[in-house]
């Protein structure tokens, strides 16, 4: 551990020397990982209007939108925290931890999401917002949030959270649930049977069992323990002096090398970021260093500092190249089947099998291994020199996948570009936060999703406690004139009444809620229909 700590200090010092004029803008938790995909998943970057199809190991950053159609997805938030999306679900990542604070904020627009949280640094470090309520996690645990139109249903299977609405906040404890409509809670938290009921429950339970597997022997530091089983499944560990235990990948080809099978994506917060196509690639290409040995080939040395891609860049006439950084912070080379990890030269040594070279116009290629030059071709392009700056090639819309329209109704869900104007603090008194979107995203907005996906159905899922929307509509219509009813905006899904005050509306909701039995447990939609 002392050796690992010393290496971390050396790496941080070297980074501060290279990027002395640039403030540190991210930490290891600033980037979430798309860690599992089952079916069709899409992502929309914060600075883009087009969607692209989600891929395993794709980095998710602050401001991104994630969604599913006929599929499910899992997002790894770091240190035992997972977010799982059901089919036909859409959410925005409002905030992720950065050097200024550790806050994570998620906005759910529709669908069902599980939050599986094994560790929580402090209370309210994770916030969940919907159109009906704001939720603040107070303990590690397991939470399910269902958003259906104007309704939000909250389940606490384990843990404790605080839910804030228009009339204040309430604590929801383990094995309790509550429902909110249009910002108002329907009564007080009530108990429910915390059992596996639908396919989403079963899928989440299966994923939890998979990611929580613990190995009898551990080789990774505590910061990376979530990847222990994943690496053990795809490779093996061995001891190499002076680095300690190192990991050797299995199932790779003889011409394989680090940062070769994948592609580069441009992220505003950190620049060019490697997206590996190997299922085990998140830990091994964003943490640690790669070395080579004549006996067993490439091996990975764990470290705990996250990076977009630990490589050194080279440039030469119309070509760009990169080599994986070695343990000592210098690019490595292989000469006559001997690996040198402290190459001090500023130019690429001919004959090395470490460098990956492409034409400068192909940095946006969707698979680098398909466009990379062969070793013989690299010899013919002449000298390539080491550079300290990232390639000045930015992502353009031409490399994006044009995708089919996502909208399931006439009024698209606006994408939030929420950025706090003041310093974010976690106060003791929580309140409901309404996330507003700029008008420019609401006017004639055309969104696209993969052509392989099916259009999201506009039919709303029936609520587990009955059709509350119809009850509320009948209650509010008694105190509302026909004139005010006809003046409602057709694009609004909210229940509004100009003649009824908030207090009357709240009491109306509570009255309709009190007519329901407080001992009701969570049941499926089919059971409700049969009951009706």
């Amino acid at each position: 551990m002392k050796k690992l700590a010393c290496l971390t200090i050396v790496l941080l010092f070297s980074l501060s020397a290279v990027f002395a004029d640039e403030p540190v803008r991210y930490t290891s938790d600033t980037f979430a990982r798309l860690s599992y995909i089952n079916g069709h998943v899409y992502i929309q970057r914060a600075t883009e209007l087009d969607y692209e199809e989600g891929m395993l190991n794709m980095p998710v950053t602050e401001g991104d939108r994630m969604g599913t159609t006929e599929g499910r997805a899992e997002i790894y938030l770091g240190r035992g925290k997972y977010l799982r999306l059901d089919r036909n679900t859409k959410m925005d990542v409002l905030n992720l931890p950065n050097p200024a604070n550790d806050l994570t904020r998620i906005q759910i627009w529709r669908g069902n999401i599980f939050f599986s949280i094994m560790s929580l640094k402090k209370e309210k470090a994770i916030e969940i917002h919907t159109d009906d309520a704001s939720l603040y996690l107070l303990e590690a645990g397991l939470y399910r949030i269902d958003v259906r139109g104007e309704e939000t249903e909250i389940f606490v299977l384990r843990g404790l959270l605080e839910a804030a609405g228009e009339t204040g906040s309430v604590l929801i404890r383990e094995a309790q649930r509550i429902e909110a409509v249009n910002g108002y809670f329907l009564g007080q938290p009530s108990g429910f049977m915390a059992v596996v009921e639908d396919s989403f429950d079963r899928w989440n339970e299966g994923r939890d069992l998979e990611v929580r597997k613990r190995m009898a022997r551990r080789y990774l530091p505590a910061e990376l323990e979530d990847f222990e089983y994943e690496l053990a499944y795809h490779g093996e560990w061995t001891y190499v002096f002076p680095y300690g235990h190192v990991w050797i990948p299995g199932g790779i080809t003889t011409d394989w090398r680090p940062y070769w099978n994948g592609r580069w994506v441009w992220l505003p917060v950190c620049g060019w970021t490697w997206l590996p196509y190997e299922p085990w690639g998140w830990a091994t290409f964003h943490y640690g260093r790669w070395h080579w040995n004549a006996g067993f080939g490439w091996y990975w040395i764990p470290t705990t500092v996250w990076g977009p891609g630990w490589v050194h860049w080279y440039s030469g006439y119309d070509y760009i190249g990169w080599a994986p950084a070695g343990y000592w912070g210098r690019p490595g080379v292989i000469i006559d089947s001997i690996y040198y990890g402290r190459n001090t030269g500023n130019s690429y040594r001919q004959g090395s099998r470490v460098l990956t070279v492409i034409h400068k116009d192909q940095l946006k290629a969707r698979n680098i291994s398909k466009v990379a030059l062969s070793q013989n071709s690299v010899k013919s392009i002449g000298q390539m020199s080491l550079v300290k700056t990232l390639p000045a090639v930015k992502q353009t819309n031409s490399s994006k996948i044009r995708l089919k329209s996502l909208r399931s109704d006439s009024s698209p869900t606006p994408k939030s570009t929420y950025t706090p104007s003041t310093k974010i603090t976690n106060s003791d008194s929580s309140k409901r936060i309404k996330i507003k979107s700029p008008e420019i995203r609401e006017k004639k907005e055309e969104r696209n999703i993969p052509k392989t996906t099916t259009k999201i159905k506009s039919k709303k899922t029936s609520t587990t406690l009955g059709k509350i929307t119809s009850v509320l509509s009948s209650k509010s219509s008694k105190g509302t004139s026909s004139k005010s009813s006809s003046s409602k905006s057709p694009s609004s899904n909210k229940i509004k009444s100009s003649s009824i005050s908030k207090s009357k509306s709240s009491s109306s909701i509570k009255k309709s809620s009190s007519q329901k039995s407080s001992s009701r447990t969570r049941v499926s939609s089919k059971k409700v229909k049969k009951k009706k």
Side-chain angles (χ1 to χ4, degrees), residues 108 131 133 169 204 233 285 293 295 357 398 411 478 491 509 524:
I108 306 175
D131 284 346
S169 63
N204 175 74
Y233 183 81
F285 292 113
N293 180 288
V357 181
S398 60
S411 55
K478 292 181 180 179
S491 63
I509 295 170
S524 65

Side-chain angles (χ1 to χ4, degrees), residues 63-84:
D64 289 349
R65 167 169 289 176
M66 287 291 304
T68 61
T69 53
E70 295 302 318
R72 289 179 172 136
E74 177 186 85
I75 300 174
Y76 175 68
L77 299 175
R79 304 302 293 271
K81 296 183 285 290
Y82 293 87
L83 185 158
R84 299 190 180 104

Side-chain angles (χ1 to χ4, degrees), residues 36-39 41 68 71-74 85-87 199-200 203:
Y36 185 86
I37 295 176
N38 181 7
V41 180
T68 61
R72 289 179 172 136
E74 177 186 85
L85 285 70
D86 196 7
R87 298 183 182 94
S199 62
F200 186 44
W203 179 76

Side-chain angles (χ1 to χ4, degrees), residues 112-183:
N112 312 318
I113 295 184
F114 265 110
F115 289 80
S116 181
I117 311 299
M118 290 295 291
S119 64
L120 195 64
K121 287 184 179 179
K122 58 183 179 181
E123 292 184 350
K124 304 181 183 180
I126 297 178
E127 298 179 7
I128 308 163
H129 301 279
T130 74
D131 284 346
D132 307 298
S134 292
L135 315 177
Y136 303 84
L137 303 194
L138 303 180
E139 293 179 359
L142 181 62
Y143 308 88
R144 174 167 171 167
I145 316 299
D146 295 351
V147 178
R148 300 177 297 271
E150 300 86 7
E151 309 158 16
T152 296
E153 195 169 9
I154 305 150
F155 299 91
V156 178
L157 288 84
R158 295 191 307 272
L160 175 69
L161 67 76
E162 182 179 2
E166 290 292 342
T167 56
S169 63
V170 295
L171 289 177
I172 310 176
R173 305 179 188 278
E174 186 170 323
Q176 287 187 333
R177 60 166 294 283
I178 198 169
E179 194 162 358
V181 175
N182 202 26

